[in-house]
């Protein structure tokens, strides 16, 4: 029977070959202005291989989004009733006609089913082809482009076309117009090989009313440790279960390796009960995790040590994803891979039981990411949220700029050909379906100057921000930063956490590291503790966090420690100021685990309407 089924599929596919519309007129599908900082170097080698990723429309995505918001709304009766993998895939599956017509187009260029790979929902098709064939298929010319600042190169085009009848059946094709450099978020300005001496043991603790026991060790103003974070965020004394099914993960890219020996040194220093503990490593797209001490990654070590140190003994996973877009003409790189983040997204969407909390500290300037690509990747995050996964992303280390130069002198030119000054938000943090985490420093906490914040130029403001963000904008001086940002865009960050002076072990040595790359795994660790508490009580994980965060920010602000001091300079400006309530540098502030645990594990939120207005009970 299987042989007959295979034969019938092959026969149907062969019929498509005969009907293939190879010679249909092409029409431009997407074009971009040559991006700033990239120079066209030469024509791409005809035999260079690229892996085309073809995105088919998701006609029912609006229905998926509707489900996502219902199961993520703490006031909705469906709160926490997350969808299954199969339910999500059925909602984002393309129309059969789209699949058929795209198959016909591919076959018309000599490609057969064995050449193709598809996502489980069939909304993505991938195929490896030489540049010469890609140019025919897309009626375009690929070139090698060189990034002036880094010297890296990409094989890309600034415009591509598709047969006109396919425009409604294909959302995008990449790699074409995606000039991403995909950087990690560690702030190099805050990297130090020398660990400052801790204050004298006689130094009095710092009084912090919301902290565990109302105080934090004085040493925490010099060096941030797991103990500091648990004290500051009111999490002392809580130990999660290792057997209730709760899991946490951190992602790694760009050759960032998480070193087991460093993890052991970290635990010996800061989490003695976790000595001899370990974490799983899952390789995606050929990702490696070299254990040579000289190859230990500062970003990877930071992420796993603090995310997994905070949540021990919760089972933990480090995802190491291979692939990097840069093409190196001098060594004749055989294959130009896709943006590695999409390789991870493919994998995790196909996982029937993904970790409930995942932290990522990598991003890129939003303006370097084509809108069509950003929207499709963001839709992938929505799918994970609907399945009960909480995603945290570092908001960036450049204030309102891109972090590539001194915040006071950043020029921050737009990438649309006008070359006007604009603030530069980052993607994926600007996606409305993830939680963007800004940074704080010192105790009492203030906003750290490099904390990324601002407003998306791609994604409109989501409904969950419709109260908090307009209130913040109303407090800005009239005309301040006019024309520099999009006041109607999705605002970031959502929350924040400590982001400086973190003591980590890298290559067997202690270092201090800063950056919102420290804030994201810290906040993710707190979320994972909350998930563990809920799961142990038979409740669902929190999933997509933002509707809950903004509800609590409005009606139960004590769930967060409001940060009202500091600003995030960039683009030659002083940036946004931290203020009471939500702001574009620290969001609603840093977490109060004890308060959040009380809220999310006991009765949750209810609204009561009476003649005096709305009252909230917990």
């Amino acid at each position: 029977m299987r042989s007959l089924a295979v034969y019938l599929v092959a026969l149907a596919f062969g019929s498509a070959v005969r009907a293939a519309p190879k010679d249909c007129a092409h029409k431009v599908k997407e074009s971009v202005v040559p991006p700033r900082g990239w120079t066209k170097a030469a024509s791409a080698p005809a035999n260079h291989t690229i892996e085309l990723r073809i995105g088919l429309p998701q006609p029912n995505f609006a229905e998926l989004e509707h489900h996502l918001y219902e199961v993520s709304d703490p006031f909705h009766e469906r709160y926490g009733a997350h969808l299954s993998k199969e339910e999500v895939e059925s909602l984002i599956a393309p129309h059969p006609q789209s699949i058929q017509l795209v198959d016909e187009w591919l076959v018309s260029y000599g490609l057969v089913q064995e050449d193709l790979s598809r996502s489980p929902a069939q909304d993505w098709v991938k195929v490896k082809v030489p540049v010469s064939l890609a140019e025919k298929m897309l009626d375009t010319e690929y070139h090698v482009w060189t990034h002036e600042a880094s010297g890296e190169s990409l094989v890309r085009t600034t415009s591509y076309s598709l047969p006109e009848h396919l425009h409604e059946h294909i959302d995008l094709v990449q790699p074409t117009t995606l000039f991403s450099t995909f950087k990690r978020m560690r702030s190099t300005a805050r990297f130090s090989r020398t660990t400052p001496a801790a204050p004298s043991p006689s130094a009095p603790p710092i009084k912090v009313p919301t902290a565990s026991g109302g105080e934090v060790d004085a040493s925490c103003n010099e060096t941030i440790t797991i103990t500091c974070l648990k004290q500051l965020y009111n999490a002392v004394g809580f130990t999660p279960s290792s057997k209730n099914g709760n899991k946490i993960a951190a992602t790694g890219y760009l050759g960032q390796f998480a070193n087991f020996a460093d993890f052991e040194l970290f635990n010996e220093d800061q989490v003695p009960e976790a000595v001899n503990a370990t974490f799983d490593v899952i390789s995606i797209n050929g990702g490696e995790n070299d254990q040579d001490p000289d190859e230990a990654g500062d970003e990877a070590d930071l992420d796993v040590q603090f995310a997994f140190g905070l949540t021990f003994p919760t089972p933990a996973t480090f995802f190491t994803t291979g692939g990097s877009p840069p093409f190196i003409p001098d060594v004749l790189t055989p294959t130009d891979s896709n943006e590695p983040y999409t390789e991870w997204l493919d994998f995790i969407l196909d996982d029937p039981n993904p970790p409930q909390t995942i932290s990522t500290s990598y991003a890129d300037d939003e303006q370097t990411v084509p809108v069509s690509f950003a929207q499709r990747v963001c839709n992938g995050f929505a799918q994970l949220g609907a399945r009960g996964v909480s995603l945290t992303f570092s908001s960036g280390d450049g204030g309102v700029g891109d972090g590539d130069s001194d915040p006071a002198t950043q020029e921050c030119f737009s990438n649309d050909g006008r070359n006007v000054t604009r603030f530069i938000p980052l993607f994926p943090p600007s996606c409305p379906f993830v939680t963007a985490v800004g940074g704080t420093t010192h105790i009492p906490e203030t906003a750290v100057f490099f904390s990324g914040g601002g407003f998306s130029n791609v994604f409109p403001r989501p409904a969950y921000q419709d109260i908090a963000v307009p209130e913040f904008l109303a407090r800005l001086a009239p005309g301040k930063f006019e024309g520099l940002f999009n006041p109607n865009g999705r605002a970031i960050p959502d929350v924040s956490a400590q982001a400086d002076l973190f003591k980590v072990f890298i290559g067997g040595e202690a270092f201090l590291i800063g950056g919102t790359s420290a804030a994201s795994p810290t906040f993710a660790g707190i979320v994972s503790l909350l998930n563990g508490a809920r799961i142990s009580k038979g409740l669902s994980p929190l999933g997509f966090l933002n509707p809950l965060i903004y509800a609590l920010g409005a009606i139960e602000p004590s769930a967060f420690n409001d940060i009202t001091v500091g600003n995030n300079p960039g683009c030659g400006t002083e940036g946004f100021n931290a203020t009471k309530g939500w702001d574009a540098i620290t969001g609603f502030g840093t977490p109060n685990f004890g308060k959040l645990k009380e809220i999310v594990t006991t009765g949750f939120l209810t609204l009561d309407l009476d003649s005096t207005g709305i009252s909230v009970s917990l």
Side-chain angles (χ1 to χ4, degrees), residues 366-436:
E366 185 185 66
Q367 66 177 3
T368 69
V369 182
V371 171
S372 61
F373 184 82
Q375 289 174 335
R376 279 302 291 259
V377 171
C378 192
N379 287 359
F381 300 144
Q383 294 171 50
L384 287 171
R387 291 175 56 189
V389 178
S390 299
L391 300 170
T392 68
F393 280 80
S394 304
S395 69
D397 290 348
V400 294
D402 59 11
D404 289 337
S405 57
D406 187 320
T409 59
Q410 289 171 346
E411 293 180 306
C412 300
F413 287 118
S414 66
N415 205 34
D416 56 6
R418 297 180 300 150
N419 292 334
V420 297
T421 299
R422 292 278 288 185
F423 291 165
I424 302 179
L426 298 187
F427 177 82
S430 65
C431 169
F433 304 129
V434 307
T435 299

Side-chain angles (χ1 to χ4, degrees), residues 53 55-56 58 61-62 64-65 68 83-85 88-89 91-92 119-121 123-124 171-172 341-351 354-355 358 371-391 393 427-428 431-434 459 544:
R53 172 183 288 269
L56 280 62
Q58 301 167 334
F61 179 78
L64 171 73
E65 187 176 12
L68 170 67
L83 306 186
S84 68
K85 175 177 180 290
V88 167
E89 288 171 358
L91 287 170
I92 53 100
S119 63
D123 57 327
W124 285 105
D171 278 347
L172 74 161
Y341 197 85
T342 59
E343 301 293 338
W344 176 82
L345 192 54
D346 287 346
F347 177 90
I348 203 70
L349 284 171
D350 196 33
D351 186 340
I358 305 174
V371 171
S372 61
F373 184 82
Q375 289 174 335
R376 279 302 291 259
V377 171
C378 192
N379 287 359
F381 300 144
Q383 294 171 50
L384 287 171
R387 291 175 56 189
V389 178
S390 299
L391 300 170
F393 280 80
F427 177 82
C431 169
F433 304 129
V434 307
F459 300 100
F544 175 40

Side-chain angles (χ1 to χ4, degrees), residues 138-419:
L138 304 176
D139 191 23
T140 190
E141 293 183 5
Y142 278 88
H143 289 85
V144 177
W145 292 77
T146 301
H147 190 235
E148 298 166 1
S150 67
E152 295 177 341
S153 295
L154 294 172
V155 172
R156 294 292 188 268
T157 181
T158 56
S159 177
Y160 69 93
S161 300
L162 292 169
E164 189 166 0
H165 77 284
L166 288 181
H167 276 231
E168 64 180 303
H169 300 287
I170 294 178
D171 278 347
L172 74 161
V173 180
Q174 291 293 347
T176 49
T177 56
L178 175 63
F179 286 80
S180 172
T181 56
F182 194 57
K183 53 200 173 188
R184 64 188 194 272
M185 291 294 99
R186 178 185 58 77
S187 172
T188 55
R190 313 304 300 172
F191 188 75
S192 171
R193 188 176 292 271
T194 303
T195 302
S200 165
S202 61
I206 306 166
K207 299 298 182 182
V208 180
T210 57
S212 295
E215 57 187 33
V216 177
D217 291 348
S219 62
C220 299
N221 251 332
E222 301 289 340
T223 304
I224 292 294
T225 64
I226 293 293
T227 296
C228 293
L229 295 174
K230 286 188 174 182
Q231 290 178 350
L232 181 61
Y233 297 144
N234 194 18
V236 171
F238 177 79
T239 301
S241 169
S242 63
K243 299 179 180 180
N244 64 0
N246 188 38
K247 298 181 291 184
I248 186 171
T251 62
Y253 304 91
L254 308 178
Q256 279 284 309
F257 306 138
N259 189 275
F260 290 112
D262 289 338
F263 187 63
E264 181 69 2
L265 288 173
F266 177 84
N267 287 334
E268 290 175 358
D269 183 69
Q270 299 187 33
V271 195
E273 64 272 26
V275 169
N276 296 324
T278 189
F279 52 88
D280 292 333
V281 175
I282 294 181
S283 171
I284 300 168
N285 194 40
E288 299 177 350
N289 198 40
D290 193 331
Q291 292 302 295
D292 184 334
D294 293 335
E295 298 297 323
D298 49 4
E299 180 68 72
D301 273 353
L302 167 65
D303 291 345
V304 302
Q305 288 170 22
F306 275 88
F308 304 166
L310 271 171
T311 57
F312 175 80
T314 302
T317 299
F318 175 64
F319 292 110
T320 173
T321 303
S324 178
F327 165 76
I328 308 173
D330 293 342
V331 297
L332 298 177
T333 305
T335 302
D336 190 25
S337 69
N338 274 298
E339 167 68 66
Y341 197 85
T342 59
E343 301 293 338
W344 176 82
L345 192 54
D346 287 346
F347 177 90
I348 203 70
L349 284 171
D350 196 33
D351 186 340
N353 187 31
Q356 294 91 340
T357 312
I358 305 174
S359 173
T360 298
S361 297
Y362 301 76
D364 204 355
D365 299 344
E366 185 185 66
Q367 66 177 3
T368 69
V369 182
V371 171
S372 61
F373 184 82
Q375 289 174 335
R376 279 302 291 259
V377 171
C378 192
N379 287 359
F381 300 144
Q383 294 171 50
L384 287 171
R387 291 175 56 189
V389 178
S390 299
L391 300 170
T392 68
F393 280 80
S394 304
S395 69
D397 290 348
V400 294
D402 59 11
D404 289 337
S405 57
D406 187 320
T409 59
Q410 289 171 346
E411 293 180 306
C412 300
F413 287 118
S414 66
N415 205 34
D416 56 6
R418 297 180 300 150
N419 292 334

